[in-house]
Amino acid sequence: DKPGNSRGPDRLCDRDSFDAGPVMPIPDLSNPIYDKCSPMAPFFGFIGAAFALIFANMGAAYGTAKSGMGIQVMGIQKPELVMKSVIPVVMAGVIGIYGLIIAVIIGNKVLPNENGFPMYSNFEGYAAFAGGLTCGLSGLAAGIAIGIAGDTGVRASAQQTKLFVGMVLILIFSEALGLYGLIVGLILASRNGWKCVP
């Protein structure tokens, strides 16, 4: 390596020139605060937010794709009914919004450590995990129901227009499954736990 080259091997292995930034103090796990405020609590909170959005979007994607296939097949015979039959796609898309709402609420409540002490309690982490899982899996179930009912419903209503109202009612009750998960998820995600005071 040429003399004066700052990227030489001696320069790369120079520990004195390496700035690691501020050093995080090692927590004293014998402190009673860790019984109620574990360093793992934020993990459960973030996993709950992720599960809420992931599973809800999986249900929304399935519902949109499945009902969209039925709309396209039906549109070959009766293209004038395509816009009228797009209701299942809209209702499936709303499922994803439910998961987004819960994920944003949970994500904003998770607090980082301060001076080596956790500020997010176990209770809040477990509640966020349960709320996210409740909303996400309910959205997945609702999306599957909307996709199957919407696929067959738009094809049947194209042949018999009197079935359109019945299809909409089926879709409404399928959507209600995701709404139930959203309500319970909001209640769980908004629960406040212990105050983590060192």
Side-chain angles (χ1 to χ4, degrees):
D1 203 21
K2 295 181 179 181
N5 189 352
S6 61
R7 299 185 63 185
D10 295 336
R11 180 65 175 173
L12 292 176
C13 297
D14 187 3
R15 296 179 180 271
D16 296 334
S17 63
F18 180 72
D19 183 14
V23 179
M24 177 67 70
I26 299 176
D28 181 15
L29 298 181
S30 63
N31 193 320
I33 190 176
Y34 292 106
D35 294 336
K36 297 181 179 180
C37 301
S38 169
M40 290 295 295
F43 169 79
F44 287 98
F46 286 128
I47 287 295
F51 280 175
L53 190 59
I54 290 171
F55 287 125
N57 281 344
M58 287 175 62
Y62 181 84
T64 301
K66 184 70 173 175
S67 58
M69 290 172 57
I71 294 173
Q72 294 174 26
V73 173
M74 180 272 299
I76 297 175
Q77 299 293 332
K78 295 185 178 181
E80 67 277 3
L81 297 179
V82 170
M83 295 306 298
K84 182 180 179 182
S85 301
V86 79
I87 295 177
V89 175
V90 176
M91 299 183 75
V94 175
I95 299 295
I97 298 177
Y98 294 165
L100 177 64
I101 293 172
I102 295 296
V104 170
I105 292 175
I106 294 175
N108 287 333
K109 288 192 65 177
V110 179
L111 299 175
N113 294 353
E114 291 186 7
N115 299 323
F117 289 98
M119 304 303 294
Y120 192 68
S121 68
N122 296 346
F123 181 89
E124 292 171 324
Y126 301 151
F129 179 78
L133 205 58
T134 299
C135 180
L137 292 179
S138 297
L140 178 61
I144 293 173
I146 290 174
I148 296 175
D151 181 22
T152 57
V154 294
R155 299 188 193 196
S157 62
Q159 302 296 324
Q160 175 57 259
T161 57
K162 294 181 180 180
L163 296 176
F164 182 78
V165 176
M167 179 194 71
V168 173
L169 289 176
I170 295 173
L171 294 175
I172 289 174
F173 284 103
S174 300
E175 179 85 14
L177 300 176
L179 185 60
Y180 300 154
L182 174 66
I183 294 172
V184 176
L186 286 172
I187 294 173
L188 292 174
S190 61
R191 295 293 302 273
N192 293 321
W194 302 287
K195 298 296 181 181
C196 300
V197 180

